[in-house]
Amino acid sequence: MSLETISENRSCGGVQGVYRHASDATGTDMTFGLYLPPAAQRGPVPVLWYLSGLTCNHENAMTKAGAQEHAARAGLALIFPDTSPRGEGVADDDAFDLGQGAGFYVNATEAPWAPHFRMWDYITSDLPKLVLDNFPLQAEAQGITGHSMGGHGALTMAMRLPDQFRSVSAFAPIANPTESDWGQKQFGAYLGQGREAWRAHDASLLMAEQGYPGEVLIDQGSEDQFLDLLKPETLAAAMARRRQPSVMRMQRGYDHSYFFVNSFIGDHVDWHAERLKAKG
Amino acid sequence: MSLETISENRSCGGVQGVYRHASDATGTDMTFGLYLPPAAQRGPVPVLWYLSGLTCNHENAMTKAGAQEHAARAGLALIFPDTSPRGEGVADDDAFDLGQGAGFYVNATEAPWAPHFRMWDYITSDLPKLVLDNFPLQAEAQGITGHSMGGHGALTMAMRLPDQFRSVSAFAPIANPTESDWGQKQFGAYLGQGREAWRAHDASLLMAEQGYPGEVLIDQGSEDQFLDLLKPETLAAAMARRRQPSVMRMQRGYDHSYFFVNSFIGDHVDWHAERLKAKG
């Protein structure tokens, strides 16, 4: 599989790269960011997947979250995938929360989305294979986190694939999409109106039904302007009901922006590093 | 003087604000970012000015440098000014390195720039007055830093106004603009062809002629794509010749991007905090 280097910048003693490849999953070219810490010069390192939110591409978290400094210290690689397929031959919608930039981490089954919108397969299978083949990463020590729509992706992927994602956290995740306008609209478009297919993509339902074998960390800002759409209370209740080992923090005064993510990314990197290093 | 709040986000326990005001210096509305650390809730704090480079506005460093985390820890406020006046009535040029986004921190004397391009006065007089009147900042504990064109501004302002700027550092500064295409072109346009007026805006010449009463910290990437335009060697030689107390670090592998600034901003914040807290 061919891998094109778009850019590589020295960052916090390591290298922040941006790469492009032809994806089998989406049938398009896809661009992603990958940070290798200094420790990667000596051998394979654990890796943290960071899934971004609505409207983002591979670049937002890579430039705004400030994760590299912490990853360098902790000896963790970071991967910043795009949030959807893109390009002229790819379906889109005028709304910011549907189509390109809004893949919602599902495999679409409905027209016009089905041919390219296969972000579940892209993140869980296609891109892992590529990066594990091409970079010094420990396949057995992968964790996953994300923000908003990306927090939704991280939680659903970790719960459904716990052997692949050995640690999980989320920033202000879309926590109960089957009961929110951030979810019903997109699942209806991508997966069709049969709600049964939606259940596998709802973190609160997955938590109620199966939970996660490890511990779960969630940060949420108390002044988040999208609290009504995120519905953290449903997930919190499900975690409590299940006795899910977890830390859920409601951070006073923080909103939904990258200033919030940036403020706590260090805690999340440490959270994952501690758990992944025991696996590596 | 009226001060309009554009946004305020909780960040690292403090508040990252963006504000707009009518500037007497530039005769335009100006937008700036200001970060107050948690310590500002208890009383006035020292402040670090961050001057940005070509094409930037108030936002680039505010979102990409990752300075807030370190400023919160160190108890320092941060100010992120714009790099030029802007708007429809303001002169501009098609080139990225002249006109709007490229004020070069001088007071223009030549047409068409003279009416609004007064960034020296804006940064050293107009904006300090505004922020000291409106925020809990220690007037006697101000430091200054910046990147590229902003490093040029920081060094020239600190050397000419050492009682105002009690600590100084720079990232990849334009270090010898009177001998560079990043300098000759802009000084010719803004200040006219008489090179005598340029001398007060060249860090290497100021260093040779007067130096700085405190210590100077400079970081420069060894793989910076603009080394030929920045001319750090001229400034390094002037510092050595003068026996200027200083630290100049050539960081192996780093380029000119914000990944470079982000990698070392913590060291710079600590550098300023240590020196300013002795003044406050």
Side-chain angles (χ1 to χ4, degrees), chain A residues 8-14 16 59 62-66 68-70 252-255 257 259-260 262-263 266, chain B residues 8-14 16 59 62-66 68-70 252-255 257 259-260 262-263 266:
Chain A
E8 291 185 327
N9 297 83
R10 183 65 55 101
S11 169
C12 300
Q16 177 62 62
E59 197 181 357
M62 189 182 94
T63 60
K64 292 184 171 184
Q68 291 89 352
E69 174 183 8
H70 304 287
R252 185 195 300 271
Y254 288 86
D255 57 31
S257 69
F259 291 111
F260 161 66
N262 180 283
S263 297
Chain B
E8 289 185 330
N9 297 82
R10 183 64 57 98
S11 167
C12 300
Q16 177 62 62
E59 198 180 357
M62 189 181 94
T63 60
K64 292 185 172 184
Q68 291 90 351
E69 174 183 7
H70 304 287
R252 184 194 299 269
Y254 287 87
D255 58 30
S257 69
F259 292 110
F260 161 65
N262 179 284
S263 297

Side-chain angles (χ1 to χ4, degrees), chain A residues 178-194:
Chain A
T178 61
E179 301 299 331
S180 168
D181 283 344
W182 275 355
Q184 293 174 340
K185 171 182 176 178
Q186 295 82 2
F187 291 173
Y190 298 146
L191 305 175
Q193 291 305 326

Side-chain angles (χ1 to χ4, degrees), chain B residues 208-227:
Chain B
E209 289 162 13
Q210 60 185 81
Y212 180 71
E215 299 155 286
V216 177
L217 169 64
I218 293 173
D219 270 317
Q220 171 65 57
S222 74
E223 302 307 309
D224 193 312
Q225 54 270 52
F226 302 114
L227 271 173

Side-chain angles (χ1 to χ4, degrees), chain B residues 194-264:
Chain B
R195 291 177 61 105
E196 203 49 40
W198 301 5
R199 300 185 63 83
H201 295 285
D202 185 302
S204 291
L205 297 179
L206 290 168
M207 181 55 69
E209 289 162 13
Q210 60 185 81
Y212 180 71
E215 299 155 286
V216 177
L217 169 64
I218 293 173
D219 270 317
Q220 171 65 57
S222 74
E223 302 307 309
D224 193 312
Q225 54 270 52
F226 302 114
L227 271 173
D228 288 350
L229 292 160
L230 301 172
K231 301 195 179 296
E233 62 281 0
T234 314
L235 179 59
M239 289 201 296
R241 225 175 279 127
R242 188 177 191 82
R243 314 275 194 269
Q244 171 68 46
S246 58
V247 178
M248 174 146 190
R249 305 190 298 188
M250 182 64 70
Q251 302 282 10
R252 184 194 299 269
Y254 287 87
D255 58 30
H256 200 66
S257 69
Y258 262 96
F259 292 110
F260 161 65
V261 175
N262 179 284
S263 297
F264 301 104

Side-chain angles (χ1 to χ4, degrees), chain A residues 130-144:
Chain A
L130 180 84
V131 296
L132 292 171
D133 280 352
N134 286 278
F135 298 95
L137 306 176
Q138 296 177 357
E140 69 283 11
Q142 299 181 61
I144 192 164

Side-chain angles (χ1 to χ4, degrees), chain B residues 99-193:
Chain B
Q100 298 187 30
F104 258 77
Y105 304 103
V106 303
N107 291 332
T109 55
E110 305 301 300
W113 313 104
H116 299 296
F117 280 72
R118 301 188 64 80
M119 289 301 291
W120 182 273
D121 283 355
Y122 176 67
I123 301 290
T124 64
S125 168
D126 193 29
L127 187 54
K129 200 173 305 169
L130 180 84
V131 295
L132 293 170
D133 280 353
N134 286 277
F135 298 95
L137 306 175
Q138 296 177 359
E140 69 283 11
Q142 299 181 62
I144 192 164
T145 188
H147 175 225
S148 195
M149 178 182 73
H152 145 75
L155 291 169
T156 54
M157 287 173 176
M159 280 191 272
R160 288 173 56 191
L161 299 166
D163 292 339
Q164 182 170 347
F165 297 110
R166 311 293 290 268
S167 58
V168 66
S169 73
F171 297 85
I174 299 177
N176 189 200
T178 63
E179 300 299 333
S180 169
D181 283 343
W182 276 355
Q184 293 174 341
K185 170 183 176 177
Q186 295 82 2
F187 291 173
Y190 297 147
L191 304 175
Q193 292 304 327

